[in-house]
């Protein structure tokens, strides 16, 4: 089954509003990463948060990590139409394996 | 800055044909990963290589094989193609080898269509 589950599956907001996406995972992780993907295109790395970190900021992005609940959230503030994309969380397991395990993704639509 | 290069970007094959996808990692990155993303799906890990040796294996069919060469580029070979192999294939690279603290940098992907 999926290591990462994201909710909501789809989110529709207006420009200027904040968008919050959540990710839950099942096993211990080394770090958690968020990626963005425009329709059918490449994956763009947004931010990485390590298992010993609780919060991280990058521009309009804020990521939180709660390892006790095995969950993370991505907040995009003051959204823009250009933020329209799918957002995936991906976990790097603590077991030493290198692979990223992706969540199911949230499709974000920001309307002008 | 140099990014991960994948070729070809688009590929159309018929059932039972073979396909070879190529990946050129970022210079000085020694680890390469392959992922498959079906339509409307999340990326699924296939296989990875560190210093030319296979380091991890995911849900890669036996019909697929891959290797990493001395210049660190990697090739994914796919034989007896099936309709279900139609997907976006991503390659990613990182400088870190095992341990995986390092970010994985993704290429633009190869879109394979099997007809």
């Amino acid at each position: 089954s999926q290591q990462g589950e994201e909710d909501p599956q789809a989110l529709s907001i207006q420009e200027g509003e904040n968008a919050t996406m959540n990710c839950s995972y099942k096993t211990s992780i080394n770090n958690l990463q968020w990626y963005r993907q425009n329709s059918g295109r490449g994956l763009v790395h947004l931010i990485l948060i390590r298992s010993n970190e609780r919060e991280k900021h990058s521009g309009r992005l804020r990521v939180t990590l709660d390892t006790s609940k095995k969950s993370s959230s991505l907040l995009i503030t003051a959204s823009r139409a250009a933020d329209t994309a799918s957002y995936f969380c991906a976990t790097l397991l603590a077991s030493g394996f290198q692979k990223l395990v992706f969540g199911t993704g949230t499709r974000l639509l920001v309307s002008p | 800055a140099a990014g991960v290069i994948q070729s070809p970007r688009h590929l159309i094959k018929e059932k039972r044909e073979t396909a070879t996808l190529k990946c050129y990692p970022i210079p000085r990155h020694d680890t390469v990963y392959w992922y498959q993303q079906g339509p409307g799906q999340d990326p699924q890990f296939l296989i990875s290589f560190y210093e030319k040796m296979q380091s991890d294996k995911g849900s890669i069919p036996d019909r697929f094989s891959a290797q990493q060469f001395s210049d660190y580029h990697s090739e994914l070979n796919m034989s007896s193609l099936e309709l279900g192999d139609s997907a976006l294939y991503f390659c990613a690279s990182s400088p870190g080898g095992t341990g995986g603290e390092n970010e994985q940098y993704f290429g633009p992907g190869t879109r394979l269509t099997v007809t």
Side-chain angles (χ1 to χ4, degrees):
Chain A
S1 58
Q2 299 283 357
Q3 160 73 341
E5 299 286 340
E6 294 186 55
D7 79 272
Q9 290 189 340
L11 181 60
S12 184
I13 59 174
Q14 300 288 320
E15 264 191 330
E17 294 181 334
N18 296 341
T20 300
M21 290 160 265
N22 302 296
C23 167
S24 61
Y25 57 91
K26 296 178 181 176
T27 58
S28 296
I29 62 171
N30 180 304
N31 64 55
L32 185 145
Q33 305 176 37
W34 285 90
Y35 286 82
R36 167 201 166 112
Q37 183 179 36
N38 286 67
S39 180
R41 306 189 74 165
L43 291 158
V44 176
H45 187 274
L46 296 176
I47 197 165
L48 180 154
I49 186 164
R50 294 180 174 81
S51 60
N52 62 353
E53 297 176 313
R54 291 297 166 258
E55 188 170 312
K56 206 160 183 180
H57 297 253
S58 177
R60 294 183 296 110
L61 305 180
R62 188 184 83 145
V63 169
T64 62
L65 179 65
D66 187 335
T67 52
S68 66
K69 294 180 180 178
K70 292 187 169 56
S71 67
S72 174
S73 67
L74 171 67
L75 168 68
I76 304 174
T77 59
S79 63
R80 305 166 181 166
D83 294 329
T84 295
S86 289
Y87 292 82
F88 293 92
C89 69
T91 53
L92 196 76
L93 303 184
S95 59
F97 294 123
Q98 303 166 336
K99 62 186 178 187
L100 287 173
V101 181
F102 283 82
T104 50
T106 293
R107 292 187 309 279
L108 174 65
L109 172 64
V110 183
S111 302
Chain B
V4 175
I5 298 171
Q6 290 188 246
S7 69
R9 293 292 306 278
H10 300 273
L11 189 58
I12 300 175
K13 290 285 186 178
E14 294 187 355
K15 281 194 303 184
R16 293 180 288 278
E17 286 191 321
T18 61
T20 297
L21 310 186
K22 297 185 179 182
C23 169
Y24 299 86
I26 292 171
R28 291 181 293 284
H29 282 196
D30 53 18
T31 307
V32 169
Y33 315 80
W34 286 96
Y35 294 84
Q36 177 193 57
Q37 186 180 28
Q41 305 294 312
D42 54 286
Q44 296 286 320
F45 172 76
L46 292 177
I47 196 166
S48 64
F49 292 88
Y50 166 62
E51 283 290 345
K52 293 152 280 183
M53 300 287 289
Q54 181 183 308
S55 55
D56 198 1
K57 194 171 181 179
S59 50
I60 183 169
D62 291 341
R63 299 178 289 107
F64 294 7
S65 64
Q67 56 182 324
Q68 186 179 32
F69 294 86
S70 57
D71 64 351
Y72 295 104
H73 95 272
S74 178
E75 295 184 4
L76 177 65
N77 298 293
M78 309 159 70
S79 63
S80 302
L81 288 169
E82 301 173 357
L83 296 178
D85 296 328
S86 295
L88 199 51
Y89 290 83
F90 289 107
C91 170
S93 73
S94 73
T98 59
E101 273 276 308
N102 298 290
E103 299 168 12
Q104 294 183 20
Y105 295 82
F106 281 77
T110 294
R111 182 171 295 284
L112 172 67
T113 302
V114 181
T115 61

